[in-house]
Every structure is written in structure tokens, then in C-alpha cells.
Amino acid sequence: MFGKRISKLHLWYIKLSLGKKVIVSSFFVWLLQAIPKWGFVLLGDGEMAASLMTLLITPRSEQ
């Protein structure tokens, strides 16, 4: 299943023009560099991580 998705994405990428390939590739490289930075910024501070967790997971005391 995952292999089919990869092959579809590869075929889609091959069909793109050169300019669009450059844009997609540069966005992908930027995304790979940005994800660890975002993770550090969001989870580096304990207070921010706690507020994100309460946003995503409802504590049992509030149920």
C-alpha cells in the first residue's frame, strides 16, 4: 500500500515541468529542515508543551 503511494508520487513528480520540480524540491528540503526546528521550539519550553498537550488531549480531571 505504501509502495503504491510512493510510485504514484514518483510518477506525478516525473510529469512536472522543470520549474515546478525546482519549486517542489526546494519546498521539500525546506520542510525537512524546518520540522526539527519547529519541534524544538514547540516542545523545548515545558509550559508550551503542556498547553499543546492539553489542547490535543483532554485531562481526566476535566471529563
Side-chain angles (χ1 to χ4, degrees), residues 18-45:
L18 180 61
K20 290 182 181 180
K21 283 182 185 178
V22 169
I23 292 170
V24 169
S25 299
S26 60
F27 177 76
F28 186 69
V29 168
W30 171 81
L31 184 67
L32 287 176
Q33 292 176 351
I35 288 174
K37 292 175 188 175
W38 291 341
F40 179 74
V41 167
L42 294 177
L43 301 176
D45 181 19

Side-chain angles (χ1 to χ4, degrees), residues 1-29:
M1 183 173 164
F2 185 69
K4 289 182 182 179
R5 285 187 182 177
I6 294 294
S7 63
K8 284 183 183 179
L9 282 174
H10 181 66
L11 290 175
W12 171 78
Y13 184 78
I14 289 173
K15 292 178 185 177
L16 290 176
S17 66
L18 180 61
K20 290 182 181 180
K21 283 182 185 178
V22 169
I23 292 170
V24 169
S25 299
S26 60
F27 177 76
F28 186 69
V29 168

